[in-house]
Amino acid sequence: MGQQRITRAECVHVAALARLELTDEELDRFTGQLDELLDHVAEVEALDLEALAPTMHPLLFPNPLRPDTPGEVLNRDEVLDQAPYVEDGQFRVPPVLGEAP
Amino acid sequence: MTALEIATAVRSGKRSARSVVDEYLGAIAEGDDDIHAFNMVTAAEARTRADEIDGAVAAGQDPGPLAGVPVALKDNLCTRGVATTCSSRILEGWEPPYDAHVVEQLHNAGAVVVGKTNMDEFAMGSSTENSAFGPTRNPCDLSRVPGGSSGGSAAAVAAGFAPVALGSDTGGSIRQPAALCGVVGVKPTYGRVSRYGLVAFASSLDQIGPIATTVADAATVLDVIGFTDPRDQTNRLPDPKQVSDTLSDGVNGLRVGVLTELSGNGIAPDVAARLQVAVGALESAGADVAKVSVPSAIYGLSAYYVIAPAEASSNLARFDGVRYGLRVDGSSTSDMNTATRSVGFGDEVKRRIMIGTYALSAGYYDAYYGKAQKVRTLIINDFNRVWYGDKFDLLLSPTSPTTAFSLGARTADPMSMYMSDVCTVPVNLTGQAAMSVPYGVGDDGLPVGVQVMAPVQGEPVMFRAAKVLEDSL
């Protein structure tokens, strides 16, 4: 294995971006495992990819538009029934104001 | 009995759907404690549905091509009012308010859902050991894994709990467990089957397909589920062909390539030996078989293990404790999101979200995600040269480098688990069709699968070859 490709500090940052709180044990383990994967993935650095366009999707269709007519939709009450907390026909969450973005 | 035999008997009134369903529910009750193919068995609903079908037959109606056929559904396919867990704690208690498109199609064809099958959490894994509800065991040898991520569906079919099942295949998750359990597994062309109601893992790769004991049963199920559905924007291939009609047309005159990069290095000798027998069978049936090189195919894993986690990290952002399933309280919304996800997701899902988030993060996007997308282009170009330049009709490789491995053998080392997918991921990246056909056993007496790959929309020819292989055993 070559140089370290991802550090523990970077893993801490990535976990925060992903809204995951990892234990010290998870952070240690994931840092090593991610590093090993990234090291394997680095094999593609040997390829000449300069002239190639990226593929986002295997089959490129022109973006289709459906007719602008109202169709069947899910029943609101049935959908809300599945949520952990609901109030006045809406999803209820803890305070969002004053939070860091 | 095969699904086709059941449907024929039920449609003609020779056998009641109820007796068929009772028989399979009995097999599940007797055998599933050992195998754990199912997360949930929907016995009462299945009996009610079977009675409806019998009522229709008695009234002179035709319930459809899968009349009375028990079907097992991977637990990432939405079933209205029936828990759909993706084998994850984060979806605890969630009962979807709608059916997946494929579930509607099966219902309309007379099939009877008998339960939801175990899987690697959110379809991330190759052994069905990453389930919040415990692993599934391989019916051929209970000390071995069934493969994954559709391991519950493959095990259910192999154990005789259902003649057919549906799985989803993002990097091999239908074909590899089918190979390891000794059944047929099909990944249709990307865009062939609507994913409406499939919980998304990696949207540019995911495809739903059948698992069955025979090629003809798999063909019948694909013909039933492969109807155009406007609710999936990718489900709009021009003129998709039915596969059942031409199933027995043989392979005489077809050009078949053995994909050298996926058939030599890293493939167990007993698996490679079975592939050679398959080559002989196709040659005997009149196919022209040659070795063919797709040099970039070996880079499939590297592209896949960036692209799939990247898309997953985005798709799984929706599991945040607001709209469905688990919520773990926090003093703010973001604390609640974090607490919910940290408790609700298992180890492998967290690992993939970490990989994907990293690959998409500022400063690393071009180095990893951007590059992986270009490797994807390279692989597509290489395959297209073989299909449209060299005029090959089909390609062959093993489905899995080895037969079923022991439970626990690869769980501590994610890279060794990822290597299980080396033969199957290229086709997800290109969007082509591929299927695994059971083809005898390896030195350990466990099933070996041969992978038949076809170009985009090449299902009819692919199924013809699969049928020839099946008949040659």
Side-chain angles (χ1 to χ4, degrees):
Chain A
M1 199 178 283
Q3 84 269 29
Q4 193 177 3
R5 294 183 186 271
I6 185 167
T7 64
R8 194 176 190 277
E10 285 173 313
C11 274
V12 171
H13 172 65
V14 171
L17 291 175
R19 296 280 191 273
L20 289 173
E21 188 176 14
L22 302 180
T23 63
D24 281 345
E25 184 276 326
E26 282 175 322
L27 275 170
D28 289 341
R29 199 155 41 85
F30 285 177
T31 303
Q33 290 169 342
L34 263 60
D35 197 58
E36 194 185 348
L37 176 74
L38 294 173
D39 205 60
H40 181 86
V41 164
E43 68 175 5
V44 307
E45 283 168 15
L47 297 171
D48 180 11
L49 303 169
E50 204 55 42
L52 295 173
T55 296
M56 271 154 247
H57 217 259
L59 305 172
L60 291 174
F61 304 120
N63 208 17
L65 296 174
R66 64 168 170 75
D68 187 19
T69 47
E72 219 176 297
V73 294
L74 297 177
N75 178 287
R76 190 187 73 167
D77 292 336
E78 275 185 51
V79 172
L80 287 172
D81 266 353
Q82 296 300 320
Y85 290 93
V86 170
E87 194 174 301
D88 297 336
Q90 297 171 68
F91 299 113
R92 182 175 171 173
V93 294
V96 289
L97 294 177
E99 278 193 48
Chain B
M1 281 174 102
T2 68
L4 281 171
E5 287 165 355
I6 291 169
T8 303
V10 170
R11 285 168 116 172
S12 66
K14 284 204 182 83
R15 203 163 163 201
S16 71
R18 180 59 187 264
S19 75
V20 172
V21 166
D22 280 339
E23 181 186 318
Y24 280 92
L25 290 173
I28 296 168
E30 191 154 313
D32 202 40
D33 282 351
D34 292 336
I35 292 168
H36 187 215
F38 287 92
N39 284 342
M40 176 186 269
V41 180
T42 51
E45 293 90 334
R47 291 196 171 101
T48 305
R49 176 72 186 133
D51 290 343
E52 279 172 22
I53 289 161
D54 288 331
V57 173
Q61 294 157 1
D62 179 7
L66 293 173
V69 173
V71 179
L73 298 175
K74 189 176 184 177
D75 206 9
N76 59 355
L77 293 165
C78 288
T79 41
R80 184 181 167 87
V82 173
T84 298
T85 70
C86 295
S87 289
S88 180
R89 283 201 61 198
I90 209 160
L91 275 170
E92 224 163 57
W94 184 55
E95 294 179 352
Y98 61 96
D99 278 326
H101 172 76
V102 291
V103 176
E104 292 174 351
Q105 292 298 326
L106 288 171
H107 186 90
N108 294 341
V112 180
V113 173
V114 292
K116 307 294 292 286
T117 57
N118 197 16
M119 54 187 281
D120 286 298
E121 185 178 359
F122 285 105
M124 298 177 189
S126 311
S127 69
T128 316
E129 291 169 290
N130 300 328
S131 164
F133 310 127
T136 297
R137 290 169 183 273
N138 192 318
C140 306
D141 177 345
L142 296 178
S143 71
R144 309 288 178 123
V145 301
S149 67
S150 311
S153 284
V157 172
F161 297 157
V164 290
L166 293 187
S168 64
D169 191 314
T170 304
S173 280
I174 290 172
R175 290 161 285 157
Q176 185 255 15
L180 269 46
C181 290
V183 292
V184 177
V186 183
K187 186 208 88 83
T189 300
Y190 184 82
R192 173 70 195 247
V193 179
S194 167
R195 287 100 42 95
Y196 178 76
L198 168 70
V199 178
F201 163 11
S203 302
S204 80
L205 304 163
D206 296 340
Q207 190 60 203
I208 299 168
I211 295 172
T213 56
T214 68
V215 173
D217 279 359
T220 304
V221 174
L222 179 59
D223 286 342
V224 162
I225 62 175
F227 270 95
T228 307
D229 171 28
R231 295 171 298 185
D232 178 353
Q233 290 273 50
T234 67
N235 181 231
R236 41 203 296 278
L237 293 175
D239 191 25
K241 295 274 188 299
Q242 299 276 297
V243 290
S244 299
D245 303 344
T246 52
L247 198 58
S248 301
D249 285 4
V251 293
N252 193 28
L254 292 185
R255 267 169 71 74
V256 178
V258 177
L259 209 166
T260 50
E261 284 81 3
L262 302 183
S263 302
N265 276 348
I267 306 298
D270 56 337
V271 173
R274 290 308 303 166
L275 179 67
Q276 282 317 305
V277 180
V279 166
L282 292 175
E283 282 176 333
S284 303
D288 173 14
V289 186
K291 285 188 175 169
V292 62
S293 174
V294 179
S296 60
I298 52 167
Y299 295 103
L301 269 186
S302 285
Y304 178 85
Y305 275 98
V306 171
I307 291 170
E311 293 187 21
S313 71
S314 172
N315 270 326
L316 270 59
R318 73 191 56 168
F319 300 104
D320 56 5
V322 176
R323 286 156 296 173
Y324 18 62
L326 182 74
R327 172 182 294 191
V328 178
D329 283 327
S331 57
S332 67
T333 291
S334 75
D335 283 354
M336 180 276 286
N337 297 152
T338 301
T340 301
R341 290 163 63 80
S342 303
V343 169
F345 289 138
D347 206 57
E348 181 63 24
V349 174
K350 287 178 183 170
R351 189 159 35 242
R352 302 245 188 146
I353 289 173
M354 291 286 291
I355 296 165
T357 305
Y358 178 72
L360 292 175
S361 66
Y364 300 101
Y365 183 97
D366 288 337
Y368 292 108
Y369 188 61
K371 203 162 274 182
Q373 288 183 311
K374 289 185 172 188
V375 174
R376 191 171 186 178
T377 307
L378 182 68
I379 296 171
I380 291 172
N381 291 348
D382 270 5
F383 271 101
N384 283 348
R385 205 167 299 129
V386 169
W387 301 129
Y388 308 114
D390 303 338
K391 305 283 183 199
F392 278 91
D393 296 295
L394 297 168
L395 292 173
L396 294 182
S397 78
T399 307
S400 162
T402 64
T403 57
F405 41 95
S406 297
L407 267 87
R410 299 185 187 177
T411 43
D413 179 5
M415 276 311 296
S416 73
M417 188 71 85
Y418 300 166
M419 292 296 176
S420 313
D421 304 337
V422 64
C423 299
T424 48
V425 292
V427 164
N428 295 86
L429 293 167
T430 62
Q432 297 154 15
M435 66 192 287
S436 181
V437 183
Y439 210 69
V441 295
D443 293 344
D444 49 13
L446 291 168
V448 171
V450 167
Q451 178 174 231
V452 184
M453 292 168 268
V456 163
Q457 290 200 279
E459 278 90 346
V461 173
M462 177 176 85
F463 270 85
R464 283 161 53 189
K467 184 80 171 84
V468 166
L469 288 176
E470 180 179 70
D471 290 345
S472 72
L473 285 175

Short mmCIF file of all heavy atoms in Angstrom, two decimals, chain A residues 16-39:
data_model
loop_
_atom_site.label_atom_id
_atom_site.label_comp_id
_atom_site.label_asym_id
_atom_site.label_seq_id
_atom_site.Cartn_x
_atom_site.Cartn_y
_atom_site.Cartn_z
N ALA A 16 -19.54 14.03 9.51
CA ALA A 16 -20.41 15.17 9.82
C ALA A 16 -21.23 15.56 8.60
O ALA A 16 -22.42 15.84 8.70
CB ALA A 16 -19.56 16.34 10.32
N LEU A 17 -20.59 15.57 7.43
CA LEU A 17 -21.32 15.88 6.19
C LEU A 17 -22.46 14.89 5.95
O LEU A 17 -23.52 15.25 5.45
CB LEU A 17 -20.38 15.83 4.98
CG LEU A 17 -19.31 16.89 4.83
CD1 LEU A 17 -18.41 16.58 3.63
CD2 LEU A 17 -19.94 18.28 4.67
N ALA A 18 -22.21 13.64 6.31
CA ALA A 18 -23.19 12.57 6.06
C ALA A 18 -24.19 12.42 7.20
O ALA A 18 -25.01 11.50 7.18
CB ALA A 18 -22.46 11.25 5.82
N ARG A 19 -24.14 13.33 8.18
CA ARG A 19 -25.04 13.22 9.33
C ARG A 19 -24.92 11.85 10.00
O ARG A 19 -25.91 11.16 10.24
CB ARG A 19 -26.49 13.46 8.94
CG ARG A 19 -26.79 14.86 8.43
CD ARG A 19 -26.95 15.84 9.60
NE ARG A 19 -27.48 17.13 9.16
CZ ARG A 19 -26.74 18.15 8.72
NH1 ARG A 19 -25.42 18.03 8.63
NH2 ARG A 19 -27.31 19.29 8.38
N LEU A 20 -23.67 11.46 10.28
CA LEU A 20 -23.42 10.22 11.02
C LEU A 20 -22.54 10.56 12.21
O LEU A 20 -21.59 11.34 12.08
CB LEU A 20 -22.68 9.19 10.14
CG LEU A 20 -23.47 8.54 9.01
CD1 LEU A 20 -22.53 7.68 8.16
CD2 LEU A 20 -24.63 7.71 9.54
N GLU A 21 -22.87 10.00 13.36
CA GLU A 21 -22.02 10.14 14.52
C GLU A 21 -21.34 8.80 14.73
O GLU A 21 -22.00 7.81 15.05
CB GLU A 21 -22.87 10.51 15.75
CG GLU A 21 -22.03 10.87 16.95
CD GLU A 21 -22.89 11.33 18.12
OE1 GLU A 21 -24.12 11.13 18.09
OE2 GLU A 21 -22.32 11.87 19.07
N LEU A 22 -20.03 8.76 14.51
CA LEU A 22 -19.31 7.50 14.59
C LEU A 22 -18.57 7.39 15.92
O LEU A 22 -18.07 8.40 16.43
CB LEU A 22 -18.33 7.37 13.42
CG LEU A 22 -18.95 7.46 12.02
CD1 LEU A 22 -17.85 7.32 10.95
CD2 LEU A 22 -20.01 6.38 11.81
N THR A 23 -18.49 6.17 16.43
CA THR A 23 -17.71 5.95 17.65
C THR A 23 -16.21 5.99 17.30
O THR A 23 -15.85 5.90 16.12
CB THR A 23 -18.03 4.58 18.26
OG1 THR A 23 -17.63 3.57 17.32
CG2 THR A 23 -19.53 4.44 18.55
N ASP A 24 -15.37 6.09 18.30
CA ASP A 24 -13.92 6.06 18.06
C ASP A 24 -13.52 4.78 17.34
O ASP A 24 -12.69 4.80 16.42
CB ASP A 24 -13.15 6.17 19.38
CG ASP A 24 -13.11 7.62 19.89
OD1 ASP A 24 -13.42 8.53 19.08
OD2 ASP A 24 -12.79 7.83 21.07
N GLU A 25 -14.12 3.69 17.77
CA GLU A 25 -13.80 2.40 17.14
C GLU A 25 -14.19 2.41 15.67
O GLU A 25 -13.43 1.97 14.80
CB GLU A 25 -14.52 1.28 17.91
CG GLU A 25 -14.20 -0.14 17.44
CD GLU A 25 -15.06 -0.57 16.25
OE1 GLU A 25 -16.24 -0.16 16.16
OE2 GLU A 25 -14.54 -1.32 15.41
N GLU A 26 -15.40 2.93 15.37
CA GLU A 26 -15.85 3.00 13.97
C GLU A 26 -14.92 3.90 13.15
O GLU A 26 -14.56 3.56 12.02
CB GLU A 26 -17.29 3.54 13.90
CG GLU A 26 -18.37 2.51 14.27
CD GLU A 26 -19.77 3.11 14.31
OE1 GLU A 26 -19.94 4.27 14.77
OE2 GLU A 26 -20.71 2.41 13.90
N LEU A 27 -14.55 5.03 13.72
CA LEU A 27 -13.68 5.96 12.99
C LEU A 27 -12.34 5.32 12.66
O LEU A 27 -11.84 5.42 11.55
CB LEU A 27 -13.47 7.23 13.81
CG LEU A 27 -14.55 8.29 13.65
CD1 LEU A 27 -14.36 9.40 14.68
CD2 LEU A 27 -14.54 8.88 12.24
N ASP A 28 -11.76 4.62 13.65
CA ASP A 28 -10.47 3.95 13.41
C ASP A 28 -10.61 2.91 12.30
O ASP A 28 -9.80 2.83 11.38
CB ASP A 28 -9.99 3.25 14.70
CG ASP A 28 -9.54 4.26 15.75
OD1 ASP A 28 -9.27 5.42 15.38
OD2 ASP A 28 -9.50 3.89 16.95
N ARG A 29 -11.66 2.12 12.41
CA ARG A 29 -11.85 1.02 11.46
C ARG A 29 -12.15 1.57 10.06
O ARG A 29 -11.56 1.14 9.07
CB ARG A 29 -12.99 0.14 11.96
CG ARG A 29 -13.05 -1.24 11.38
CD ARG A 29 -13.78 -2.20 12.33
NE ARG A 29 -14.96 -1.61 12.94
CZ ARG A 29 -16.16 -1.58 12.36
NH1 ARG A 29 -16.33 -2.11 11.18
NH2 ARG A 29 -17.18 -1.03 12.97
N PHE A 30 -13.10 2.50 9.98
CA PHE A 30 -13.49 3.03 8.67
C PHE A 30 -12.31 3.75 7.99
O PHE A 30 -12.16 3.68 6.77
CB PHE A 30 -14.68 3.99 8.80
CG PHE A 30 -16.00 3.31 9.05
CD1 PHE A 30 -17.16 4.06 9.25
CD2 PHE A 30 -16.11 1.93 9.08
CE1 PHE A 30 -18.39 3.44 9.48
CE2 PHE A 30 -17.33 1.30 9.31
CZ PHE A 30 -18.47 2.06 9.52
N THR A 31 -11.50 4.45 8.78
CA THR A 31 -10.35 5.14 8.17
C THR A 31 -9.46 4.13 7.44
O THR A 31 -9.09 4.33 6.29
CB THR A 31 -9.53 5.90 9.24
OG1 THR A 31 -10.40 6.82 9.91
CG2 THR A 31 -8.39 6.69 8.60
N GLY A 32 -9.15 3.04 8.10
CA GLY A 32 -8.32 2.00 7.49
C GLY A 32 -8.99 1.37 6.29
O GLY A 32 -8.37 1.16 5.23
N GLN A 33 -10.30 1.07 6.42
CA GLN A 33 -11.02 0.39 5.34
C GLN A 33 -11.21 1.31 4.13
O GLN A 33 -11.09 0.88 2.98
CB GLN A 33 -12.36 -0.13 5.86
CG GLN A 33 -12.17 -1.30 6.82
CD GLN A 33 -13.44 -1.68 7.57
OE1 GLN A 33 -14.39 -0.89 7.63
NE2 GLN A 33 -13.46 -2.87 8.13
N LEU A 34 -11.53 2.58 4.39
CA LEU A 34 -11.68 3.51 3.28
C LEU A 34 -10.34 3.71 2.57
O LEU A 34 -10.27 3.79 1.34
CB LEU A 34 -12.21 4.87 3.77
CG LEU A 34 -13.72 5.08 3.62
CD1 LEU A 34 -14.53 4.04 4.37
CD2 LEU A 34 -14.14 6.49 4.05
N ASP A 35 -9.29 3.78 3.37
CA ASP A 35 -7.95 3.95 2.79
C ASP A 35 -7.62 2.78 1.86
O ASP A 35 -7.09 2.97 0.77
CB ASP A 35 -6.93 4.06 3.92
CG ASP A 35 -5.62 4.65 3.42
OD1 ASP A 35 -5.66 5.77 2.89
OD2 ASP A 35 -4.59 3.97 3.54
N GLU A 36 -7.96 1.58 2.31
CA GLU A 36 -7.67 0.39 1.50
C GLU A 36 -8.46 0.42 0.19
O GLU A 36 -7.95 0.11 -0.89
CB GLU A 36 -8.00 -0.87 2.31
CG GLU A 36 -7.43 -2.13 1.69
CD GLU A 36 -7.88 -3.40 2.42
OE1 GLU A 36 -8.44 -3.30 3.54
OE2 GLU A 36 -7.67 -4.48 1.86
N LEU A 37 -9.73 0.82 0.29
CA LEU A 37 -10.55 0.88 -0.92
C LEU A 37 -10.01 1.95 -1.88
O LEU A 37 -9.87 1.70 -3.08
CB LEU A 37 -12.02 1.19 -0.57
CG LEU A 37 -12.89 1.37 -1.81
CD1 LEU A 37 -13.17 0.04 -2.49
CD2 LEU A 37 -14.20 2.07 -1.49
N LEU A 38 -9.71 3.13 -1.33
CA LEU A 38 -9.23 4.21 -2.19
C LEU A 38 -7.90 3.82 -2.85
O LEU A 38 -7.63 4.19 -3.99
CB LEU A 38 -9.07 5.50 -1.37
CG LEU A 38 -10.39 6.08 -0.84
CD1 LEU A 38 -10.12 7.26 0.10
CD2 LEU A 38 -11.31 6.51 -1.98
N ASP A 39 -7.10 3.05 -2.12
CA ASP A 39 -5.85 2.57 -2.69
C ASP A 39 -6.11 1.64 -3.87
O ASP A 39 -5.44 1.70 -4.90
CB ASP A 39 -5.05 1.83 -1.60
CG ASP A 39 -3.57 1.86 -1.90
OD1 ASP A 39 -3.03 2.97 -1.98
OD2 ASP A 39 -2.98 0.78 -2.08
#
